[in-house]
mmCIF file of all heavy atoms in Angstrom:
data_model
loop_
_atom_site.group_PDB
_atom_site.id
_atom_site.type_symbol
_atom_site.label_atom_id
_atom_site.label_comp_id
_atom_site.label_asym_id
_atom_site.label_seq_id
_atom_site.Cartn_x
_atom_site.Cartn_y
_atom_site.Cartn_z
ATOM 1 N N VAL I 1 -15.419 41.438 32.224
ATOM 2 C CA VAL I 1 -15.278 40.163 31.528
ATOM 3 C C VAL I 1 -14.629 39.161 32.477
ATOM 4 O O VAL I 1 -13.571 39.432 33.047
ATOM 5 C CB VAL I 1 -14.430 40.307 30.250
ATOM 6 C CG1 VAL I 1 -14.268 38.955 29.557
ATOM 7 C CG2 VAL I 1 -15.069 41.303 29.293
ATOM 8 N N VAL I 2 -15.276 38.007 32.647
ATOM 9 C CA VAL I 2 -14.748 36.930 33.473
ATOM 10 C C VAL I 2 -14.424 35.752 32.565
ATOM 11 O O VAL I 2 -15.306 35.257 31.851
ATOM 12 C CB VAL I 2 -15.758 36.500 34.555
ATOM 13 C CG1 VAL I 2 -15.159 35.400 35.427
ATOM 14 C CG2 VAL I 2 -16.175 37.685 35.408
ATOM 15 N N CYS I 3 -13.162 35.304 32.560
ATOM 16 C CA CYS I 3 -12.726 34.227 31.675
ATOM 17 C C CYS I 3 -12.289 33.011 32.496
ATOM 18 O O CYS I 3 -11.619 33.158 33.522
ATOM 19 C CB CYS I 3 -11.570 34.681 30.784
ATOM 20 S SG CYS I 3 -12.011 35.977 29.608
ATOM 21 N N PHE I 4 -12.661 31.832 32.031
ATOM 22 C CA PHE I 4 -12.211 30.572 32.618
ATOM 23 C C PHE I 4 -11.416 29.817 31.555
ATOM 24 O O PHE I 4 -11.974 29.363 30.553
ATOM 25 C CB PHE I 4 -13.413 29.730 33.071
ATOM 26 C CG PHE I 4 -14.195 30.335 34.199
ATOM 27 C CD1 PHE I 4 -15.274 31.176 33.944
ATOM 28 C CD2 PHE I 4 -13.848 30.086 35.520
ATOM 29 C CE1 PHE I 4 -15.998 31.738 34.975
ATOM 30 C CE2 PHE I 4 -14.574 30.655 36.556
ATOM 31 C CZ PHE I 4 -15.638 31.479 36.289
ATOM 32 N N VAL I 5 -10.108 29.700 31.771
ATOM 33 C CA VAL I 5 -9.229 29.020 30.824
ATOM 34 C C VAL I 5 -9.005 27.603 31.328
ATOM 35 O O VAL I 5 -8.425 27.398 32.396
ATOM 36 C CB VAL I 5 -7.890 29.764 30.657
ATOM 37 C CG1 VAL I 5 -7.003 29.028 29.667
ATOM 38 C CG2 VAL I 5 -8.140 31.197 30.203
ATOM 39 N N ASP I 6 -9.459 26.621 30.561
ATOM 40 C CA ASP I 6 -9.361 25.225 30.983
ATOM 41 C C ASP I 6 -9.141 24.370 29.743
ATOM 42 O O ASP I 6 -10.058 23.766 29.199
ATOM 43 C CB ASP I 6 -10.648 24.805 31.704
ATOM 44 C CG ASP I 6 -10.592 23.360 32.170
ATOM 45 O OD1 ASP I 6 -9.476 22.858 32.393
ATOM 46 O OD2 ASP I 6 -11.663 22.736 32.282
ATOM 47 N N THR I 7 -7.922 24.332 29.246
ATOM 48 C CA THR I 7 -7.625 23.596 28.031
ATOM 49 C C THR I 7 -6.284 22.889 28.157
ATOM 50 O O THR I 7 -5.375 23.378 28.849
ATOM 51 C CB THR I 7 -7.603 24.522 26.803
ATOM 52 O OG1 THR I 7 -7.277 23.765 25.638
ATOM 53 C CG2 THR I 7 -6.591 25.624 26.967
ATOM 54 N N ALA I 8 -6.189 21.743 27.512
ATOM 55 C CA ALA I 8 -4.923 21.009 27.508
ATOM 56 C C ALA I 8 -3.972 21.526 26.446
ATOM 57 O O ALA I 8 -2.839 21.063 26.346
ATOM 58 C CB ALA I 8 -5.201 19.526 27.280
ATOM 59 N N GLY I 9 -4.419 22.464 25.643
ATOM 60 C CA GLY I 9 -3.571 23.012 24.591
ATOM 61 C C GLY I 9 -4.107 22.650 23.222
ATOM 62 O O GLY I 9 -5.275 22.309 23.050
ATOM 63 N N ALA I 10 -3.245 22.734 22.215
ATOM 64 C CA ALA I 10 -3.657 22.444 20.837
ATOM 65 C C ALA I 10 -4.026 20.980 20.704
ATOM 66 O O ALA I 10 -3.424 20.098 21.318
ATOM 67 C CB ALA I 10 -2.528 22.788 19.873
ATOM 68 N N PHE I 11 -5.035 20.708 19.908
ATOM 69 C CA PHE I 11 -5.496 19.341 19.703
ATOM 70 C C PHE I 11 -4.439 18.554 18.932
ATOM 71 O O PHE I 11 -4.012 18.951 17.854
ATOM 72 C CB PHE I 11 -6.813 19.361 18.924
ATOM 73 C CG PHE I 11 -7.434 17.998 18.779
ATOM 74 C CD1 PHE I 11 -7.760 17.257 19.899
ATOM 75 C CD2 PHE I 11 -7.697 17.482 17.529
ATOM 76 C CE1 PHE I 11 -8.343 16.005 19.768
ATOM 77 C CE2 PHE I 11 -8.279 16.240 17.392
ATOM 78 C CZ PHE I 11 -8.601 15.500 18.518
ATOM 79 N N CYS I 12 -3.989 17.430 19.496
ATOM 80 C CA CYS I 12 -2.874 16.691 18.900
ATOM 81 C C CYS I 12 -3.287 15.325 18.392
ATOM 82 O O CYS I 12 -2.461 14.435 18.213
ATOM 83 C CB CYS I 12 -1.728 16.554 19.899
ATOM 84 S SG CYS I 12 -2.227 15.984 21.531
ATOM 85 N N ALA I 13 -4.578 15.121 18.178
ATOM 86 C CA ALA I 13 -5.133 13.961 17.474
ATOM 87 C C ALA I 13 -4.608 12.643 18.016
ATOM 88 O O ALA I 13 -4.550 12.434 19.217
ATOM 89 C CB ALA I 13 -4.859 14.098 15.981
ATOM 90 N N LEU I 14 -4.160 11.719 17.100
ATOM 91 C CA LEU I 14 -3.860 10.348 17.498
ATOM 92 C C LEU I 14 -2.610 10.230 18.363
ATOM 93 O O LEU I 14 -2.432 9.233 19.059
ATOM 94 C CB LEU I 14 -3.702 9.466 16.255
ATOM 95 C CG LEU I 14 -4.974 9.248 15.439
ATOM 96 C CD1 LEU I 14 -4.656 8.422 14.197
ATOM 97 C CD2 LEU I 14 -6.037 8.560 16.267
ATOM 98 N N PHE I 15 -1.717 11.223 18.322
ATOM 99 C CA PHE I 15 -0.509 11.142 19.131
ATOM 100 C C PHE I 15 -0.852 11.060 20.615
ATOM 101 O O PHE I 15 -0.119 10.491 21.402
ATOM 102 C CB PHE I 15 0.387 12.364 18.871
ATOM 103 C CG PHE I 15 1.147 12.264 17.589
ATOM 104 C CD1 PHE I 15 0.578 12.720 16.412
ATOM 105 C CD2 PHE I 15 2.394 11.692 17.549
ATOM 106 C CE1 PHE I 15 1.274 12.625 15.228
ATOM 107 C CE2 PHE I 15 3.093 11.597 16.352
ATOM 108 C CZ PHE I 15 2.536 12.053 15.186
ATOM 109 N N VAL I 16 -1.979 11.618 20.994
ATOM 110 C CA VAL I 16 -2.373 11.606 22.402
ATOM 111 C C VAL I 16 -2.652 10.188 22.866
ATOM 112 O O VAL I 16 -2.335 9.807 23.994
ATOM 113 C CB VAL I 16 -3.623 12.484 22.607
ATOM 114 C CG1 VAL I 16 -4.116 12.389 24.045
ATOM 115 C CG2 VAL I 16 -3.299 13.927 22.254
ATOM 116 N N PHE I 17 -3.207 9.364 21.982
ATOM 117 C CA PHE I 17 -3.704 8.073 22.397
ATOM 118 C C PHE I 17 -2.714 6.930 22.163
ATOM 119 O O PHE I 17 -2.674 5.983 22.934
ATOM 120 C CB PHE I 17 -5.013 7.776 21.660
ATOM 121 C CG PHE I 17 -6.039 8.867 21.816
ATOM 122 C CD1 PHE I 17 -6.319 9.738 20.777
ATOM 123 C CD2 PHE I 17 -6.697 9.028 23.020
ATOM 124 C CE1 PHE I 17 -7.245 10.738 20.945
ATOM 125 C CE2 PHE I 17 -7.635 10.023 23.180
ATOM 126 C CZ PHE I 17 -7.905 10.885 22.150
ATOM 127 N N VAL I 18 -1.948 6.970 21.100
ATOM 128 C CA VAL I 18 -1.107 5.823 20.774
ATOM 129 C C VAL I 18 0.379 6.113 20.919
ATOM 130 O O VAL I 18 1.195 5.220 20.746
ATOM 131 C CB VAL I 18 -1.398 5.334 19.336
ATOM 132 C CG1 VAL I 18 -2.842 4.950 19.189
ATOM 133 C CG2 VAL I 18 -1.026 6.400 18.311
ATOM 134 N N GLY I 19 0.736 7.356 21.207
ATOM 135 C CA GLY I 19 2.152 7.660 21.349
ATOM 136 C C GLY I 19 2.767 8.062 20.027
ATOM 137 O O GLY I 19 2.240 7.783 18.956
ATOM 138 N N ALA I 20 3.939 8.671 20.083
ATOM 139 C CA ALA I 20 4.550 9.234 18.889
ATOM 140 C C ALA I 20 5.153 8.177 17.977
ATOM 141 O O ALA I 20 4.913 8.165 16.771
ATOM 142 C CB ALA I 20 5.626 10.248 19.298
ATOM 143 N N TRP I 21 5.960 7.253 18.531
ATOM 144 C CA TRP I 21 6.668 6.308 17.671
ATOM 145 C C TRP I 21 5.741 5.376 16.909
ATOM 146 O O TRP I 21 5.901 5.206 15.692
ATOM 147 C CB TRP I 21 7.679 5.505 18.504
ATOM 148 C CG TRP I 21 8.938 6.266 18.761
ATOM 149 C CD1 TRP I 21 9.359 6.787 19.940
ATOM 150 C CD2 TRP I 21 9.908 6.639 17.783
ATOM 151 N NE1 TRP I 21 10.538 7.459 19.784
ATOM 152 C CE2 TRP I 21 10.912 7.382 18.455
ATOM 153 C CE3 TRP I 21 10.042 6.422 16.418
ATOM 154 C CZ2 TRP I 21 12.012 7.897 17.814
ATOM 155 C CZ3 TRP I 21 11.159 6.931 15.776
ATOM 156 C CH2 TRP I 21 12.132 7.663 16.465
ATOM 157 N N PRO I 22 4.762 4.739 17.546
ATOM 158 C CA PRO I 22 3.835 3.902 16.755
ATOM 159 C C PRO I 22 3.117 4.694 15.678
ATOM 160 O O PRO I 22 2.887 4.185 14.579
ATOM 161 C CB PRO I 22 2.863 3.370 17.814
ATOM 162 C CG PRO I 22 3.617 3.437 19.089
ATOM 163 C CD PRO I 22 4.494 4.634 18.990
ATOM 164 N N MET I 23 2.776 5.935 15.981
ATOM 165 C CA MET I 23 2.069 6.743 14.990
ATOM 166 C C MET I 23 2.970 7.078 13.808
ATOM 167 O O MET I 23 2.536 7.068 12.656
ATOM 168 C CB MET I 23 1.550 8.029 15.640
ATOM 169 C CG MET I 23 0.656 8.852 14.731
ATOM 170 S SD MET I 23 -0.797 7.915 14.212
ATOM 171 C CE MET I 23 -1.347 8.965 12.859
ATOM 172 N N LEU I 24 4.235 7.372 14.068
ATOM 173 C CA LEU I 24 5.167 7.678 12.981
ATOM 174 C C LEU I 24 5.361 6.464 12.078
ATOM 175 O O LEU I 24 5.381 6.588 10.849
ATOM 176 C CB LEU I 24 6.507 8.138 13.564
ATOM 177 C CG LEU I 24 6.532 9.540 14.195
ATOM 178 C CD1 LEU I 24 7.864 9.797 14.865
ATOM 179 C CD2 LEU I 24 6.262 10.595 13.123
ATOM 180 N N ILE I 25 5.511 5.278 12.683
ATOM 181 C CA ILE I 25 5.680 4.063 11.888
ATOM 182 C C ILE I 25 4.420 3.791 11.070
ATOM 183 O O ILE I 25 4.477 3.442 9.886
ATOM 184 C CB ILE I 25 6.005 2.875 12.816
ATOM 185 C CG1 ILE I 25 7.345 3.119 13.514
ATOM 186 C CG2 ILE I 25 6.041 1.567 12.028
ATOM 187 C CD1 ILE I 25 7.668 2.105 14.584
ATOM 188 N N PHE I 26 3.278 3.946 11.713
ATOM 189 C CA PHE I 26 1.991 3.739 11.053
ATOM 190 C C PHE I 26 1.843 4.683 9.858
ATOM 191 O O PHE I 26 1.447 4.282 8.766
ATOM 192 C CB PHE I 26 0.886 3.986 12.078
ATOM 193 C CG PHE I 26 -0.501 3.714 11.575
ATOM 194 C CD1 PHE I 26 -0.976 2.423 11.477
ATOM 195 C CD2 PHE I 26 -1.336 4.763 11.203
ATOM 196 C CE1 PHE I 26 -2.262 2.161 11.024
ATOM 197 C CE2 PHE I 26 -2.607 4.514 10.740
ATOM 198 C CZ PHE I 26 -3.075 3.208 10.651
ATOM 199 N N THR I 27 2.188 5.960 10.028
ATOM 200 C CA THR I 27 2.072 6.953 8.959
ATOM 201 C C THR I 27 3.033 6.649 7.819
ATOM 202 O O THR I 27 2.670 6.722 6.641
ATOM 203 C CB THR I 27 2.335 8.356 9.516
ATOM 204 O OG1 THR I 27 1.437 8.615 10.601
ATOM 205 C CG2 THR I 27 2.143 9.406 8.439
ATOM 206 N N ALA I 28 4.292 6.307 8.160
ATOM 207 C CA ALA I 28 5.289 6.002 7.129
ATOM 208 C C ALA I 28 4.875 4.804 6.297
ATOM 209 O O ALA I 28 5.058 4.770 5.071
ATOM 210 C CB ALA I 28 6.647 5.758 7.783
ATOM 211 N N PHE I 29 4.279 3.795 6.933
ATOM 212 C CA PHE I 29 3.837 2.597 6.217
ATOM 213 C C PHE I 29 2.777 2.942 5.184
ATOM 214 O O PHE I 29 2.850 2.508 4.029
ATOM 215 C CB PHE I 29 3.305 1.569 7.227
ATOM 216 C CG PHE I 29 2.672 0.366 6.582
ATOM 217 C CD1 PHE I 29 3.458 -0.625 5.999
ATOM 218 C CD2 PHE I 29 1.295 0.227 6.550
ATOM 219 C CE1 PHE I 29 2.866 -1.726 5.399
ATOM 220 C CE2 PHE I 29 0.706 -0.867 5.952
ATOM 221 C CZ PHE I 29 1.494 -1.850 5.371
ATOM 222 N N PHE I 30 1.807 3.759 5.580
ATOM 223 C CA PHE I 30 0.733 4.086 4.650
ATOM 224 C C PHE I 30 1.199 5.051 3.561
ATOM 225 O O PHE I 30 0.668 5.034 2.449
ATOM 226 C CB PHE I 30 -0.466 4.654 5.410
ATOM 227 C CG PHE I 30 -1.407 3.592 5.903
ATOM 228 C CD1 PHE I 30 -1.274 3.071 7.168
ATOM 229 C CD2 PHE I 30 -2.384 3.088 5.072
ATOM 230 C CE1 PHE I 30 -2.123 2.068 7.616
ATOM 231 C CE2 PHE I 30 -3.241 2.090 5.511
ATOM 232 C CZ PHE I 30 -3.112 1.576 6.788
ATOM 233 N N ILE I 31 2.187 5.881 3.855
ATOM 234 C CA ILE I 31 2.756 6.725 2.797
ATOM 235 C C ILE I 31 3.424 5.852 1.746
ATOM 236 O O ILE I 31 3.280 6.064 0.534
ATOM 237 C CB ILE I 31 3.753 7.737 3.400
ATOM 238 C CG1 ILE I 31 2.992 8.789 4.227
ATOM 239 C CG2 ILE I 31 4.561 8.412 2.300
ATOM 240 C CD1 ILE I 31 3.895 9.756 4.949
ATOM 241 N N PHE I 32 4.166 4.837 2.196
ATOM 242 C CA PHE I 32 4.840 3.921 1.263
ATOM 243 C C PHE I 32 3.822 3.181 0.412
ATOM 244 O O PHE I 32 3.961 3.069 -0.812
ATOM 245 C CB PHE I 32 5.705 2.942 2.056
ATOM 246 C CG PHE I 32 6.297 1.846 1.205
ATOM 247 C CD1 PHE I 32 7.396 2.098 0.395
ATOM 248 C CD2 PHE I 32 5.741 0.576 1.196
ATOM 249 C CE1 PHE I 32 7.926 1.095 -0.402
ATOM 250 C CE2 PHE I 32 6.263 -0.422 0.402
ATOM 251 C CZ PHE I 32 7.363 -0.168 -0.406
ATOM 252 N N ILE I 33 2.759 2.648 1.050
ATOM 253 C CA ILE I 33 1.721 1.928 0.310
ATOM 254 C C ILE I 33 1.047 2.841 -0.706
ATOM 255 O O ILE I 33 0.773 2.467 -1.853
ATOM 256 C CB ILE I 33 0.679 1.346 1.286
ATOM 257 C CG1 ILE I 33 1.307 0.245 2.153
ATOM 258 C CG2 ILE I 33 -0.529 0.803 0.537
ATOM 259 C CD1 ILE I 33 1.778 -0.956 1.377
ATOM 260 N N GLY I 34 0.776 4.100 -0.304
ATOM 261 C CA GLY I 34 0.142 5.040 -1.213
ATOM 262 C C GLY I 34 1.001 5.350 -2.419
ATOM 263 O O GLY I 34 0.514 5.394 -3.560
ATOM 264 N N MET I 35 2.308 5.570 -2.195
ATOM 265 C CA MET I 35 3.217 5.852 -3.315
ATOM 266 C C MET I 35 3.310 4.654 -4.250
ATOM 267 O O MET I 35 3.331 4.795 -5.476
ATOM 268 C CB MET I 35 4.593 6.225 -2.770
ATOM 269 C CG MET I 35 4.626 7.544 -2.005
ATOM 270 S SD MET I 35 6.220 7.868 -1.224
ATOM 271 C CE MET I 35 7.273 7.974 -2.666
ATOM 272 N N PHE I 36 3.375 3.445 -3.685
ATOM 273 C CA PHE I 36 3.464 2.237 -4.498
ATOM 274 C C PHE I 36 2.213 2.072 -5.355
ATOM 275 O O PHE I 36 2.285 1.789 -6.550
ATOM 276 C CB PHE I 36 3.648 1.025 -3.576
ATOM 277 C CG PHE I 36 3.753 -0.287 -4.315
ATOM 278 C CD1 PHE I 36 4.962 -0.696 -4.867
ATOM 279 C CD2 PHE I 36 2.636 -1.104 -4.467
ATOM 280 C CE1 PHE I 36 5.047 -1.895 -5.546
ATOM 281 C CE2 PHE I 36 2.713 -2.300 -5.149
ATOM 282 C CZ PHE I 36 3.924 -2.704 -5.693
ATOM 283 N N ALA I 37 1.034 2.282 -4.737
ATOM 284 C CA ALA I 37 -0.220 2.126 -5.476
ATOM 285 C C ALA I 37 -0.345 3.172 -6.573
ATOM 286 O O ALA I 37 -0.785 2.875 -7.689
ATOM 287 C CB ALA I 37 -1.398 2.223 -4.508
ATOM 288 N N TYR I 38 0.056 4.393 -6.266
ATOM 289 C CA TYR I 38 -0.034 5.456 -7.274
ATOM 290 C C TYR I 38 0.854 5.141 -8.470
ATOM 291 O O TYR I 38 0.451 5.284 -9.625
ATOM 292 C CB TYR I 38 0.370 6.778 -6.638
ATOM 293 C CG TYR I 38 0.217 7.971 -7.558
ATOM 294 C CD1 TYR I 38 -0.988 8.659 -7.656
ATOM 295 C CD2 TYR I 38 1.282 8.400 -8.347
ATOM 296 C CE1 TYR I 38 -1.135 9.735 -8.498
ATOM 297 C CE2 TYR I 38 1.146 9.467 -9.201
ATOM 298 C CZ TYR I 38 -0.073 10.142 -9.270
ATOM 299 O OH TYR I 38 -0.205 11.208 -10.112
ATOM 300 N N LYS I 39 2.065 4.702 -8.212
ATOM 301 C CA LYS I 39 3.002 4.409 -9.302
ATOM 302 C C LYS I 39 2.477 3.294 -10.192
ATOM 303 O O LYS I 39 2.472 3.403 -11.418
ATOM 304 C CB LYS I 39 4.365 4.022 -8.717
ATOM 305 C CG LYS I 39 5.413 3.646 -9.763
ATOM 306 C CD LYS I 39 6.725 3.338 -9.092
ATOM 307 C CE LYS I 39 7.768 2.919 -10.134
ATOM 308 N NZ LYS I 39 8.037 3.992 -11.105
ATOM 309 N N HIS I 40 1.987 2.203 -9.599
ATOM 310 C CA HIS I 40 1.550 1.060 -10.396
ATOM 311 C C HIS I 40 0.198 1.303 -11.033
ATOM 312 O O HIS I 40 -0.143 0.640 -12.012
ATOM 313 C CB HIS I 40 1.495 -0.181 -9.514
ATOM 314 C CG HIS I 40 2.854 -0.783 -9.287
ATOM 315 N ND1 HIS I 40 3.333 -1.841 -10.029
ATOM 316 C CD2 HIS I 40 3.847 -0.444 -8.427
ATOM 317 C CE1 HIS I 40 4.559 -2.144 -9.629
ATOM 318 N NE2 HIS I 40 4.890 -1.314 -8.656
ATOM 319 N N ARG I 41 -0.545 2.230 -10.515
ATOM 320 C CA ARG I 41 -1.854 2.508 -11.119
ATOM 321 C C ARG I 41 -1.730 3.362 -12.364
ATOM 322 O O ARG I 41 -2.452 3.191 -13.324
ATOM 323 C CB ARG I 41 -2.769 3.201 -10.114
ATOM 324 C CG ARG I 41 -4.173 3.435 -10.638
ATOM 325 C CD ARG I 41 -5.043 4.086 -9.595
ATOM 326 N NE ARG I 41 -6.400 4.262 -10.079
ATOM 327 C CZ ARG I 41 -7.350 4.871 -9.396
ATOM 328 N NH1 ARG I 41 -7.089 5.351 -8.195
ATOM 329 N NH2 ARG I 41 -8.559 4.999 -9.889
ATOM 330 N N PHE I 42 -0.801 4.309 -12.351
ATOM 331 C CA PHE I 42 -0.751 5.301 -13.429
ATOM 332 C C PHE I 42 0.467 5.138 -14.343
ATOM 333 O O PHE I 42 0.353 5.214 -15.547
ATOM 334 C CB PHE I 42 -0.757 6.712 -12.838
ATOM 335 C CG PHE I 42 -1.980 7.002 -12.022
ATOM 336 C CD1 PHE I 42 -1.887 7.567 -10.765
ATOM 337 C CD2 PHE I 42 -3.228 6.688 -12.513
ATOM 338 C CE1 PHE I 42 -3.016 7.830 -10.016
ATOM 339 C CE2 PHE I 42 -4.366 6.945 -11.775
ATOM 340 C CZ PHE I 42 -4.251 7.514 -10.529
ATOM 341 N N ASP I 43 1.652 4.889 -13.757
ATOM 342 C CA ASP I 43 2.850 4.886 -14.580
ATOM 343 C C ASP I 43 2.834 3.768 -15.613
ATOM 344 O O ASP I 43 3.304 3.932 -16.728
ATOM 345 C CB ASP I 43 4.088 4.750 -13.696
ATOM 346 C CG ASP I 43 4.348 6.029 -12.913
ATOM 347 O OD1 ASP I 43 3.599 6.995 -13.147
ATOM 348 O OD2 ASP I 43 5.279 6.058 -12.090
ATOM 349 N N LYS I 44 2.307 2.583 -15.250
ATOM 350 C CA LYS I 44 2.293 1.477 -16.195
ATOM 351 C C LYS I 44 1.350 1.723 -17.354
ATOM 352 O O LYS I 44 1.462 1.112 -18.404
ATOM 353 C CB LYS I 44 1.903 0.186 -15.470
ATOM 354 C CG LYS I 44 3.034 -0.355 -14.600
ATOM 355 C CD LYS I 44 2.697 -1.731 -14.062
ATOM 356 C CE LYS I 44 3.875 -2.301 -13.277
ATOM 357 N NZ LYS I 44 3.585 -3.650 -12.750
#
């Protein structure tokens, strides 16, 4: 068996391209918007 290992590791999606901090802020913003929309859509 001949193996060629050529990988950068586990796939890390958007963090690879935009960096960690912008992605965290981006994710937190949409979580807040989602929670707000859910509350006003159903609770009222």
Side-chain angles (χ1 to χ4, degrees):
V1 179
V2 182
C3 295
F4 294 91
V5 180
D6 180 26
T7 179
F11 186 58
C12 48
L14 293 177
F15 282 88
V16 175
F17 306 105
V18 301
W21 280 109
M23 187 60 195
L24 287 174
I25 296 172
F26 184 78
T27 304
F29 173 75
F30 273 93
I31 290 175
F32 172 78
I33 293 296
M35 293 174 63
F36 180 82
Y38 184 87
K39 178 178 178 62
H40 281 263
R41 184 178 182 184
F42 300 132
D43 288 356
K44 286 188 176 181

